[in-house]
PDB file of all heavy atoms in Angstrom:
ATOM      1  N   ASP V 174     -17.957 -36.707  54.237  1.00 78.00           N
ATOM      2  CA  ASP V 174     -16.552 -37.023  53.887  1.00 78.00           C
ATOM      3  C   ASP V 174     -16.459 -38.473  53.431  1.00 78.00           C
ATOM      4  O   ASP V 174     -17.078 -39.350  54.034  1.00 78.00           O
ATOM      5  CB  ASP V 174     -15.682 -36.823  55.072  1.00 78.00           C
ATOM      6  CG  ASP V 174     -15.642 -35.387  55.560  1.00 78.00           C
ATOM      7  OD1 ASP V 174     -15.628 -34.524  54.685  1.00 78.00           O
ATOM      8  OD2 ASP V 174     -15.571 -35.073  56.749  1.00 78.00           O
ATOM      9  N   TYR V 175     -15.717 -38.735  52.403  1.00 80.00           N
ATOM     10  CA  TYR V 175     -15.521 -40.094  51.814  1.00 80.00           C
ATOM     11  C   TYR V 175     -14.498 -40.865  52.643  1.00 80.00           C
ATOM     12  O   TYR V 175     -13.545 -40.359  53.228  1.00 80.00           O
ATOM     13  CB  TYR V 175     -15.025 -40.012  50.420  1.00 80.00           C
ATOM     14  CG  TYR V 175     -16.109 -39.982  49.386  1.00 80.00           C
ATOM     15  CD1 TYR V 175     -16.508 -38.788  48.781  1.00 80.00           C
ATOM     16  CD2 TYR V 175     -16.784 -41.181  49.023  1.00 80.00           C
ATOM     17  CE1 TYR V 175     -17.511 -38.813  47.820  1.00 80.00           C
ATOM     18  CE2 TYR V 175     -17.763 -41.194  48.066  1.00 80.00           C
ATOM     19  CZ  TYR V 175     -18.117 -40.021  47.485  1.00 80.00           C
ATOM     20  OH  TYR V 175     -19.131 -39.969  46.521  1.00 80.00           O
ATOM     21  N   HIS V 176     -14.753 -42.195  52.746  1.00 85.00           N
ATOM     22  CA  HIS V 176     -13.881 -43.114  53.449  1.00 85.00           C
ATOM     23  C   HIS V 176     -13.769 -44.339  52.551  1.00 85.00           C
ATOM     24  O   HIS V 176     -14.640 -44.655  51.711  1.00 85.00           O
ATOM     25  CB  HIS V 176     -14.404 -43.536  54.804  1.00 85.00           C
ATOM     26  CG  HIS V 176     -14.528 -42.351  55.754  1.00 85.00           C
ATOM     27  ND1 HIS V 176     -13.554 -41.931  56.537  1.00 85.00           N
ATOM     28  CD2 HIS V 176     -15.591 -41.528  56.020  1.00 85.00           C
ATOM     29  CE1 HIS V 176     -13.982 -40.901  57.288  1.00 85.00           C
ATOM     30  NE2 HIS V 176     -15.215 -40.654  56.944  1.00 85.00           N
ATOM     31  N   THR V 177     -12.731 -45.115  52.794  1.00 87.00           N
ATOM     32  CA  THR V 177     -12.507 -46.373  52.036  1.00 87.00           C
ATOM     33  C   THR V 177     -12.353 -47.492  52.980  1.00 87.00           C
ATOM     34  O   THR V 177     -11.468 -47.390  53.887  1.00 87.00           O
ATOM     35  CB  THR V 177     -11.262 -46.212  51.101  1.00 87.00           C
ATOM     36  OG1 THR V 177     -11.444 -45.140  50.164  1.00 87.00           O
ATOM     37  CG2 THR V 177     -11.063 -47.507  50.254  1.00 87.00           C
ATOM     38  N   LEU V 178     -12.987 -48.588  52.750  1.00 90.00           N
ATOM     39  CA  LEU V 178     -12.910 -49.823  53.589  1.00 90.00           C
ATOM     40  C   LEU V 178     -12.283 -50.899  52.705  1.00 90.00           C
ATOM     41  O   LEU V 178     -12.830 -51.231  51.659  1.00 90.00           O
ATOM     42  CB  LEU V 178     -14.274 -50.210  54.097  1.00 90.00           C
ATOM     43  CG  LEU V 178     -14.347 -51.392  55.119  1.00 90.00           C
ATOM     44  CD1 LEU V 178     -13.857 -50.772  56.517  1.00 90.00           C
ATOM     45  CD2 LEU V 178     -15.710 -51.965  55.274  1.00 90.00           C
ATOM     46  N   ALA V 179     -11.210 -51.465  53.161  1.00 92.00           N
ATOM     47  CA  ALA V 179     -10.562 -52.612  52.506  1.00 92.00           C
ATOM     48  C   ALA V 179     -11.169 -53.885  53.015  1.00 92.00           C
ATOM     49  O   ALA V 179     -11.285 -54.128  54.250  1.00 92.00           O
ATOM     50  CB  ALA V 179      -9.069 -52.637  52.637  1.00 92.00           C
ATOM     51  N   ILE V 180     -11.608 -54.774  52.126  1.00 95.00           N
ATOM     52  CA  ILE V 180     -12.179 -56.101  52.515  1.00 95.00           C
ATOM     53  C   ILE V 180     -11.291 -57.238  52.002  1.00 95.00           C
ATOM     54  O   ILE V 180     -10.998 -57.320  50.795  1.00 95.00           O
ATOM     55  CB  ILE V 180     -13.574 -56.226  51.848  1.00 95.00           C
ATOM     56  CG1 ILE V 180     -14.473 -55.066  52.315  1.00 95.00           C
ATOM     57  CG2 ILE V 180     -14.230 -57.557  52.311  1.00 95.00           C
ATOM     58  CD1 ILE V 180     -15.794 -54.982  51.512  1.00 95.00           C
ATOM     59  N   ASP V 181     -10.906 -58.102  52.935  1.00 95.00           N
ATOM     60  CA  ASP V 181     -10.149 -59.298  52.540  1.00 95.00           C
ATOM     61  C   ASP V 181     -11.113 -60.353  51.983  1.00 95.00           C
ATOM     62  O   ASP V 181     -12.054 -60.822  52.657  1.00 95.00           O
ATOM     63  CB  ASP V 181      -9.356 -59.871  53.726  1.00 95.00           C
ATOM     64  CG  ASP V 181      -8.436 -60.973  53.359  1.00 95.00           C
ATOM     65  OD1 ASP V 181      -8.936 -62.035  52.911  1.00 95.00           O
ATOM     66  OD2 ASP V 181      -7.229 -60.862  53.573  1.00 95.00           O
ATOM     67  N   LEU V 182     -10.936 -60.786  50.752  1.00 95.00           N
ATOM     68  CA  LEU V 182     -11.873 -61.661  50.074  1.00 95.00           C
ATOM     69  C   LEU V 182     -11.729 -63.072  50.566  1.00 95.00           C
ATOM     70  O   LEU V 182     -12.643 -63.874  50.248  1.00 95.00           O
ATOM     71  CB  LEU V 182     -11.759 -61.550  48.599  1.00 95.00           C
ATOM     72  CG  LEU V 182     -12.033 -60.198  47.929  1.00 95.00           C
ATOM     73  CD1 LEU V 182     -11.888 -60.281  46.423  1.00 95.00           C
ATOM     74  CD2 LEU V 182     -13.448 -59.687  48.301  1.00 95.00           C
ATOM     75  N   ALA V 183     -10.730 -63.397  51.249  1.00 92.00           N
ATOM     76  CA  ALA V 183     -10.582 -64.739  51.793  1.00 92.00           C
ATOM     77  C   ALA V 183     -11.212 -64.890  53.153  1.00 92.00           C
ATOM     78  O   ALA V 183     -11.934 -65.898  53.443  1.00 92.00           O
ATOM     79  CB  ALA V 183      -9.060 -65.157  51.848  1.00 92.00           C
ATOM     80  N   SER V 184     -10.994 -63.942  54.037  1.00 94.00           N
ATOM     81  CA  SER V 184     -11.465 -64.013  55.426  1.00 94.00           C
ATOM     82  C   SER V 184     -12.623 -63.173  55.689  1.00 94.00           C
ATOM     83  O   SER V 184     -13.358 -63.423  56.754  1.00 94.00           O
ATOM     84  CB  SER V 184     -10.296 -63.651  56.400  1.00 94.00           C
ATOM     85  OG  SER V 184      -9.979 -62.249  56.203  1.00 94.00           O
ATOM     86  N   GLY V 185     -12.940 -62.107  54.918  1.00 94.00           N
ATOM     87  CA  GLY V 185     -14.021 -61.194  55.257  1.00 94.00           C
ATOM     88  C   GLY V 185     -13.614 -60.128  56.224  1.00 94.00           C
ATOM     89  O   GLY V 185     -14.434 -59.296  56.532  1.00 94.00           O
ATOM     90  N   ALA V 186     -12.377 -60.116  56.648  1.00 95.00           N
ATOM     91  CA  ALA V 186     -11.871 -59.066  57.565  1.00 95.00           C
ATOM     92  C   ALA V 186     -11.825 -57.737  56.888  1.00 95.00           C
ATOM     93  O   ALA V 186     -11.618 -57.643  55.637  1.00 95.00           O
ATOM     94  CB  ALA V 186     -10.532 -59.392  58.049  1.00 95.00           C
ATOM     95  N   THR V 187     -12.112 -56.658  57.604  1.00 95.00           N
ATOM     96  CA  THR V 187     -12.095 -55.315  56.982  1.00 95.00           C
ATOM     97  C   THR V 187     -11.160 -54.406  57.782  1.00 95.00           C
ATOM     98  O   THR V 187     -10.856 -54.622  58.949  1.00 95.00           O
ATOM     99  CB  THR V 187     -13.517 -54.654  57.132  1.00 95.00           C
ATOM    100  OG1 THR V 187     -13.958 -54.639  58.431  1.00 95.00           O
ATOM    101  CG2 THR V 187     -14.514 -55.522  56.215  1.00 95.00           C
ATOM    102  N   ARG V 188     -10.717 -53.317  57.109  1.00 91.00           N
ATOM    103  CA  ARG V 188      -9.894 -52.327  57.758  1.00 91.00           C
ATOM    104  C   ARG V 188     -10.097 -51.006  57.029  1.00 91.00           C
ATOM    105  O   ARG V 188     -10.278 -50.968  55.790  1.00 91.00           O
ATOM    106  CB  ARG V 188      -8.422 -52.676  57.734  1.00 91.00           C
ATOM    107  CG  ARG V 188      -7.802 -52.905  56.359  1.00 91.00           C
ATOM    108  CD  ARG V 188      -6.364 -53.380  56.394  1.00 91.00           C
ATOM    109  NE  ARG V 188      -5.832 -53.669  55.067  1.00 91.00           N
ATOM    110  CZ  ARG V 188      -5.361 -52.745  54.243  1.00 91.00           C
ATOM    111  NH1 ARG V 188      -5.257 -51.485  54.662  1.00 91.00           N
ATOM    112  NH2 ARG V 188      -4.918 -53.049  53.000  1.00 91.00           N
ATOM    113  N   ASP V 189      -9.962 -49.859  57.761  1.00 87.00           N
ATOM    114  CA  ASP V 189     -10.073 -48.602  57.094  1.00 87.00           C
ATOM    115  C   ASP V 189      -8.758 -48.294  56.416  1.00 87.00           C
ATOM    116  O   ASP V 189      -7.643 -48.617  56.934  1.00 87.00           O
ATOM    117  CB  ASP V 189     -10.323 -47.520  58.125  1.00 87.00           C
ATOM    118  CG  ASP V 189     -11.753 -47.502  58.617  1.00 87.00           C
ATOM    119  OD1 ASP V 189     -12.626 -47.690  57.827  1.00 87.00           O
ATOM    120  OD2 ASP V 189     -11.956 -47.364  59.881  1.00 87.00           O
TER     121      ASP V 189
END
Side-chain angles (χ1 to χ4, degrees):
D174 295 324
Y175 269 101
H176 299 272
T177 302
L178 188 76
I180 304 169
D181 187 296
L182 298 180
S184 66
T187 59
R188 60 182 176 85
D189 286 320

